[in-house]
Amino acid sequence: MQPTGGSVAAFVAQVTPAKRRRDAETLIALMSEVSGREPELWGTIIGFGSCHYRYPTGNEGDMPLIAFAPRKAASTLYVLDGTGEHPAELARLGPHTASVGCVYIKDLELVDQEVLRTLVHKAYAFTVGGGNDYARITVTG
């Protein structure tokens, strides 16, 4: 995966429904603040910074340090250390669903903003910290 160079503002302006567009703007502000980086488009994903990952199997690739996607059904937050690493935050977050590496939020106004900030900060710290034995991560940008 690589940054596509598109305009984040133009992409967000076309996001529907309006609630998802509002949430995208909120997440951009939050992730910019946590990461100290500007948003970039990675296809339909809005990412901050970049890194190279390598699994013990030899599979490797590039990805943002932290990212989300404003999907029609929900905002998808990518939690690179896995949602299993955040049981306390997810228990207190508010209305959401989760998979192994993603948190899906239908309305950011209904979740605890401080818990969300903590979750984003911990996921970012994991990535810039180099990962773990399962995935080695090198910050590239």
Side-chain angles (χ1 to χ4, degrees), residues 72-92:
K72 191 169 211 159
S75 296
T76 303
L77 283 65
Y78 298 98
V79 183
L80 303 178
D81 56 344
T83 57
E85 296 298 314
H86 305 281
E89 289 84 10
L90 293 176
R92 296 187 339 265

Side-chain angles (χ1 to χ4, degrees), residues 39-91:
E40 293 182 282
L41 274 184
W42 296 61
T44 59
I45 294 172
I46 299 172
F48 300 79
S50 61
C51 64
H52 186 80
Y53 64 88
R54 182 179 181 87
Y55 295 114
T57 61
N59 290 341
E60 59 185 297
D62 298 303
M63 64 187 179
L65 295 169
I66 195 161
F68 76 95
R71 305 288 185 227
K72 191 169 211 159
S75 296
T76 303
L77 283 65
Y78 298 98
V79 183
L80 303 178
D81 56 344
T83 57
E85 296 298 314
H86 305 281
E89 289 84 10
L90 293 176

Side-chain angles (χ1 to χ4, degrees), residues 12-135:
V12 170
Q14 296 178 16
V15 168
T16 59
K19 175 173 36 178
R20 202 74 58 239
R21 187 169 44 256
R22 177 205 68 207
D23 290 354
E25 292 167 357
T26 300
L27 287 168
I28 288 170
L30 171 62
M31 290 185 176
S32 292
E33 181 183 324
V34 167
S35 70
R37 298 166 187 272
E38 294 297 316
E40 293 182 282
L41 274 184
W42 296 61
T44 59
I45 294 172
I46 299 172
F48 300 79
S50 61
C51 64
H52 186 80
Y53 64 88
R54 182 179 181 87
Y55 295 114
T57 61
N59 290 341
E60 59 185 297
D62 298 303
M63 64 187 179
L65 295 169
I66 195 161
F68 76 95
R71 305 288 185 227
K72 191 169 211 159
S75 296
T76 303
L77 283 65
Y78 298 98
V79 183
L80 303 178
D81 56 344
T83 57
E85 296 298 314
H86 305 281
E89 289 84 10
L90 293 176
R92 296 187 339 265
L93 181 60
H96 74 281
T97 57
S99 63
V100 173
C102 298
V103 176
Y104 309 97
I105 300 174
K106 292 184 179 184
D107 189 344
L108 280 183
E109 288 187 347
L110 300 178
V111 299
D112 185 310
Q113 298 300 302
E114 285 307 310
V115 173
L116 177 63
R117 177 178 302 284
T118 299
L119 178 66
V120 168
H121 185 270
K122 284 184 173 183
Y124 179 74
F126 168 83
T127 308
V128 297
N132 58 21
D133 290 339
Y134 178 69

Side-chain angles (χ1 to χ4, degrees), residues 2-13:
Q2 295 292 325
T4 57
S7 167
V8 172
F11 174 73
V12 170

